[in-house]
Amino acid sequence: LIALMVLGAFLGGNYAYAVTITPVRFEISSDPGQIVSGEMIVMNEQDEIKTLYSSFDNFEARGENGTPTFVPAAEGLGTWISTEPSITLNPRESKVVPFTINVPSGAEAGGHFAAVFWSSNPNEPGQVSIGAKIGTLVLLTVSGEITEEGKVMDFSTKDGQKKFDALPVGFTYRFQNGGNDRIKPEGLLVIKNTFGMTTKNLPANQVEGNVLPKSTRKFEVVWQSGADGSLTLADAEKITNESFTETISRQWKNFAFGKYTAYLDLSYGKSNQAATAMYSFFVLPWQLLLTLLIALIFALFIIKTAITHYNKWVIEQARKGMMPPTQNRS
């Protein structure tokens, strides 16, 4: 069983329950036939001695959420890496562990991907390890004829929704890599209002995720007033079962009204090739507008009533001033 710390390593975090490893990712370039070396730091976070055993897996894309699938290294990069078979760490001790990559002279140009794992259980041949593992990813690019080919497959709000009554608005886009090396799309999601004025610029790849060769990855971006794009769709979808007043409050704090167009402006690869898309939608905070309309009508009614009473008072005072004075008769 590969535990959650492996996923954490892929997404950029460390698993701190027992052991941590840095860096969580190596991005390396090499020529065929070259030997590449590097170092990782492994630290024992516990108050007991730990012995860890190394193993190597290749990985590939699984689905479109960026989560890797690890497979035993029978060939490829996982078989090119070597490091110490085991290390022993005293309590709270960290150790620098070197590794080498022996790139074959006939290695195929492009991206090769593997992970170096450390586990408290030795990796016995022919057996499946059931212990938790922590690992660092190795993303190797072998020089040669590198093909960079990417495009935006689709771009829209979540579920293609066209009308919203308030922010946040969540966007998704799918980026396809048709080349032979990893691609990291970079750029902005620019939101413009009805008049063509820029309302918000959001990072299009907040997680700095790579798209592996011959795969498609889905990215998420969320627009919320004052946010920088770090809000996730999962966070946005937590806004449920609001009361009417809570909805109005959210619409007031994140006010948006009218037609908006989102422009996805990406670049990728060493030559900064462009990939673009656009999507239009509407935001109509009808609950807030209805409340403001009712408040305006009520205010106008109060003002009109006050003016009517004031006019009556003025007329009455004028009439009293025009009446002749009372004369005393004997």
Side-chain angles (χ1 to χ4, degrees), residues 98-176:
F99 68 91
T100 59
I101 305 174
N102 191 347
V103 183
S105 58
E108 183 178 349
H112 302 263
F113 314 102
V116 180
F117 285 118
W118 294 96
S119 172
S120 57
N121 295 326
N123 188 22
E124 298 293 341
Q127 295 184 6
V128 178
S129 174
I130 60 174
K133 296 180 180 180
I134 183 169
T136 185
L137 303 182
V138 180
L139 289 73
L140 173 68
T141 299
V142 177
S143 62
E145 188 174 344
I146 304 296
T147 302
E148 293 182 336
E149 179 183 329
K151 63 179 179 179
V152 178
M153 296 295 292
D154 54 65
F155 169 56
S156 69
T157 58
K158 186 177 184 297
D159 299 327
Q161 187 174 343
K162 280 285 189 179
K163 298 178 181 178
F164 298 84
D165 59 18
L167 303 184
V169 174
F171 302 89
T172 61
Y173 68 92
R174 297 168 62 244
F175 193 93
Q176 184 184 75

Side-chain angles (χ1 to χ4, degrees), residues 6-220:
V6 175
L7 180 58
F10 183 77
L11 298 177
N14 281 331
Y15 179 71
Y17 172 71
V19 176
T20 56
I21 182 170
T22 55
V24 296
R25 179 171 59 192
F26 290 92
E27 298 192 22
I28 303 172
S29 297
S30 172
D31 296 326
Q34 185 178 357
I35 297 177
V36 182
S37 60
E39 294 179 337
M40 67 189 79
I41 300 175
V42 184
M43 181 173 182
N44 178 10
E45 299 281 356
Q46 291 189 325
D47 295 322
E48 61 182 33
I49 297 176
K50 295 194 72 70
T51 298
L52 303 174
Y53 302 88
S54 62
S55 62
F56 311 97
D57 284 350
N58 293 323
F59 75 83
E60 56 195 32
R62 179 181 63 185
E64 296 185 352
N65 62 357
T67 304
T69 296
F70 296 97
V71 295
E75 59 181 4
L77 178 57
T79 63
W80 306 346
I81 306 174
S82 60
T83 187
E84 299 182 32
S86 66
I87 57 174
T88 299
L89 298 171
N90 293 319
R92 306 296 173 178
E93 181 188 10
S94 62
K95 180 173 290 188
V96 176
V97 183
F99 68 91
T100 59
I101 305 174
N102 191 347
V103 183
S105 58
E108 183 178 349
H112 302 263
F113 314 102
V116 180
F117 285 118
W118 294 96
S119 172
S120 57
N121 295 326
N123 188 22
E124 298 293 341
Q127 295 184 6
V128 178
S129 174
I130 60 174
K133 296 180 180 180
I134 183 169
T136 185
L137 303 182
V138 180
L139 289 73
L140 173 68
T141 299
V142 177
S143 62
E145 188 174 344
I146 304 296
T147 302
E148 293 182 336
E149 179 183 329
K151 63 179 179 179
V152 178
M153 296 295 292
D154 54 65
F155 169 56
S156 69
T157 58
K158 186 177 184 297
D159 299 327
Q161 187 174 343
K162 280 285 189 179
K163 298 178 181 178
F164 298 84
D165 59 18
L167 303 184
V169 174
F171 302 89
T172 61
Y173 68 92
R174 297 168 62 244
F175 193 93
Q176 184 184 75
N177 181 1
N180 62 353
D181 196 9
R182 67 187 184 279
I183 286 177
K184 182 189 295 182
E186 299 176 317
L188 293 174
L189 192 157
V190 181
I191 299 172
K192 296 188 177 184
N193 60 21
T194 305
F195 307 103
M197 301 175 63
T198 299
T199 301
K200 193 74 174 179
N201 289 326
L202 298 168
N205 186 357
Q206 180 79 19
V207 299
E208 298 186 353
N210 288 288
V211 186
L212 299 186
K214 309 301 180 183
S215 70
T216 300
R217 180 168 179 174
K218 180 185 290 185
F219 293 86
E220 301 177 352

